[in-house]
Amino acid sequence: MTLPVFADFDTGVDDAVALVYLLASPDAELVGIAATGGNVAVQQVCDNNLALLELCGATGVPVSRGADAPRSGPVHTGQNSHGPQGLGYAELPPGTGRLTGYDAATAWGTAAREHPGQLIGVATGPLTNLALALRAEPALPTLLRRLVIMGGAFSGERSAGAEFNIGFDPEAAAQVFAAWGAVAPQRLPIVCGLDLTQHVAITPTILARLAGPAEDSVVRMLHDALRFYFEAHEARGHGYLAYLHDPLAAAVALEPTLVTTRPAAVRVALSPDARGRTIPDWDAHRPNALIGVAVDPAVFFDRFVPRVGAFARRRG
């Protein structure tokens, strides 16, 4: 069965890999992309999405421009990790597609109403667009079949501070978790936090299994983008590798059993001293999320390598 998927991306390197994964998956039909500012400014995110869709031969996927800034507070981008344009060392010609005539919040609601009870949403950037969509369409939590969020940190040393996506717009994240707190347990969002996604790291050895780089190809884009990401991780002391935060979320959107989850009520701290921190209550009577607590990286790469490798070679 082909699953309709709507993606909300702040397209940097790992979002780009997640996009390729979704397009490479025979069980997914990408029905729309919402662009949000985050890793880079929203216009660059739009440009990246259109260029990547062109590269992948998927120019029919609608792309809608969304929020460039949080509801309150300063804007912090991730260019040190993703490069000035968000795609590392990859340089792509502009896409020929155009943005839709409606914003990302409207795109969320439209896609959900067109696929009631079937649409899978995956958000790998700040949650500003989704919070705005909820204001326009409060029934969104019951219209979606499933929502997967890449954000937060729930154990370990990273949980003491704010993860980038949640910290970019904590108020929006708090609104999203509150909205899903009122739905049935089987509709709770699956949340892939840093403590989960950092178990899934791609290395040059794994990347080489996809194929050798070819000029103007998906393979070349992946090599050039991930090389920058490898260097950024190495500079932070993680080694010459890259955590695939967003591709894991994309894979979980299609196959939730890839991760073990645990229900919790997530509170997003809004006070100045802990702003953006995600605090789980594991014993809450009314959870608002299913937190990913375990993943087998080998199982993930058993999906990732054949799908992305075959797709990249077809396009390259």
Side-chain angles (χ1 to χ4, degrees), residues 149-280:
I149 295 170
M150 192 279 123
F154 303 95
S155 65
E157 61 181 34
R158 294 299 299 270
S159 65
E163 176 271 333
F164 178 85
N165 289 341
I166 304 299
F168 187 93
D169 193 340
E171 283 79 10
Q175 291 168 20
V176 168
F177 284 115
W180 259 266
V183 303
Q186 64 268 27
R187 291 187 180 270
L188 293 179
I190 300 173
V191 183
C192 301
L194 288 180
D195 42 315
L196 179 78
T197 59
Q198 287 184 347
H199 289 288
V200 177
I202 191 169
T203 63
T205 300
I206 296 173
L207 181 59
R209 291 166 56 192
L210 299 180
E215 203 66 37
D216 298 327
S217 69
V218 174
V219 174
R220 178 62 179 268
M221 182 277 294
L222 292 171
H223 277 256
D224 288 347
L226 284 166
R227 181 161 50 89
F228 189 99
Y229 215 33
F230 289 152
E231 293 172 2
H233 281 72
E234 186 177 43
R236 287 168 171 76
H238 300 301
Y240 198 72
L241 49 77
Y243 299 129
L244 294 186
H245 308 289
D246 299 344
L248 177 60
V252 170
L254 304 181
E255 193 174 353
T257 56
L258 283 176
V259 296
T260 302
T261 62
R262 184 179 172 190
V266 176
R267 179 173 67 86
V268 180
L270 302 178
S271 59
D273 59 328
R275 183 173 170 77
R277 183 183 171 197
T278 45
I279 304 166

